[in-house]
């Protein structure tokens, strides 16, 4: 996931909006999209409820945060439904969102 996030972060400094959107499209159609698909396959092959195990870890929190970031609607050129076609990523993010500690934290902030 860190490789995916770093690709996205590399576009944050692009000032020209059209150039930023074009670069993000290029990344989604290329390396970023490929890495997201590969991550989903790894998670499927793992066979666990969450990213690493059936117990929540920092990897799950990071995946949850990435899902929230990409679906928030403020990243120009990043579709809010970007991760919807990756069922294991979505299932992991949903499991984290439903975790009692995460529910409590979200309610308090």
């Amino acid at each position: 996931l860190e490789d995916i996030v770093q690709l996205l972060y590399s576009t944050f400094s692009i000032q020209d909006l059209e150039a930023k959107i074009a670069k993000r499209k290029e990344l989604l159609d290329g390396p970023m999209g490929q890495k997201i698909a590969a991550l989903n396959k790894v998670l499927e092959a793992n066979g666990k409820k969450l990213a690493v195990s059936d117990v929540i870890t920092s990897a799950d929190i990071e995946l949850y945060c990435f899902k929230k970031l990409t679906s928030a609607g403020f990243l120009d050129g990043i579709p809010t439904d970007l991760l919807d076609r990756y069922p294991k990523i979505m299932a992991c993010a949903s499991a984290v969102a439903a975790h009692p500690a995460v529910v409590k934290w979200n309610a308090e902030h």
Side-chain angles (χ1 to χ4, degrees):
L1 181 59
E2 188 62 28
D3 292 347
I4 298 166
V5 171
Q6 289 305 314
L7 286 170
L8 178 60
Y9 287 170
S10 73
T11 66
F12 283 19
S13 62
I14 300 172
Q15 297 298 313
D16 180 75
L17 181 58
E18 286 184 27
K20 182 180 289 193
I21 290 170
K23 181 62 175 179
R24 289 178 176 170
K25 180 177 180 352
E26 175 188 322
L27 289 171
L28 288 174
D29 291 344
M32 190 170 158
Q34 293 166 356
K35 288 178 185 293
I36 293 170
L39 174 61
N40 192 70
K41 284 185 180 184
V42 167
L43 294 176
E44 286 175 344
N46 184 22
K48 301 293 183 182
K49 178 180 175 186
L50 296 164
V52 178
S53 70
D54 293 325
V55 178
I56 197 167
T57 67
S58 60
D60 303 303
I61 299 293
E62 186 172 0
L63 188 58
Y64 167 76
C65 290
F66 182 68
K67 194 270 183 205
K68 299 248 321 160
L69 174 69
T70 59
S71 65
F74 63 83
L75 294 173
D76 298 309
I78 302 294
T80 57
D81 63 350
L82 171 66
L83 300 177
D84 288 359
R85 64 180 168 214
Y86 302 102
K88 190 59 182 175
I89 291 174
M90 293 299 290
C92 182
S94 294
V96 172
H99 189 281
V102 175
V103 170
K104 181 179 182 210
W105 191 90
N106 282 335
E108 293 173 354
H109 294 92

